[in-house]
């Protein structure tokens, strides 16, 4: 599972749901969190893609891998938790965070 560290709306029940969907599928599919119908994070990948994931560099993410491999993708709607990330000070404040100098 790839989980971004800057996603404050993501909850333990969200993670539990993605894990249970992965297990229910027997670990054969890519399980992708969705927010309001849009793909987001986290994403659970089958072991068959671990080598490819390790080879990723830079900030391009695994989106290209999802498109490149002929594996089923199961989209799981979890709401805002899949989309809200805080990459800037403004985004931190918009998500309810406080920046202390």
């Amino acid at each position: 599972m790839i989980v971004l560290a800057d996603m404050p709306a993501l909850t333990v029940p969200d993670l539990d749901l993605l894990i249970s969907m992965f297990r229910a599928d027997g670990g054969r599919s890519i399980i992708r969190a969705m927010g309001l119908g849009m793909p987001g994070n986290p994403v659970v990948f089958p072991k068959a893609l671990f080598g490819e994931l390790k080879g990723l560099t830079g900030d391009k993410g695994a989106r290209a891998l999802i498109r490149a491999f002929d594996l089923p993708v199961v989209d799981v709607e979890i709401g805002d938790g899949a989309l809200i990330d805080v990459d800037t000070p403004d985004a931190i404040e918009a998500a309810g965070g406080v920046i202390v100098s």
Side-chain angles (χ1 to χ4, degrees):
M1 177 184 291
I2 294 179
V3 182
L4 306 180
D6 61 352
M7 299 187 73
L10 193 60
T11 67
V12 170
D14 294 335
L15 298 173
D16 287 344
L17 176 59
L18 295 168
I19 292 166
S20 69
M21 296 295 291
F22 185 74
R23 287 182 175 154
D25 185 62
R28 294 180 302 271
S29 298
I30 296 168
I31 309 298
R32 177 174 58 191
M34 301 285 284
L36 309 173
M38 297 171 43
N41 283 294
V43 181
V44 186
F45 290 93
K47 188 174 186 176
L49 291 182
F50 283 9
E52 299 290 334
L53 289 165
K54 286 181 184 180
L56 292 175
T57 59
D59 192 24
K60 53 186 165 181
R63 197 169 279 163
L65 285 181
I66 293 171
R67 280 180 274 186
F69 285 84
D70 190 27
L71 291 173
V73 177
V74 177
D75 291 326
V76 179
E77 180 65 46
I78 64 168
D80 288 341
L83 301 176
I84 296 174
D85 72 16
V86 291
D87 294 328
T88 66
D90 289 341
I92 291 170
E93 290 175 349
V98 177
I99 298 173
V100 179
S101 304

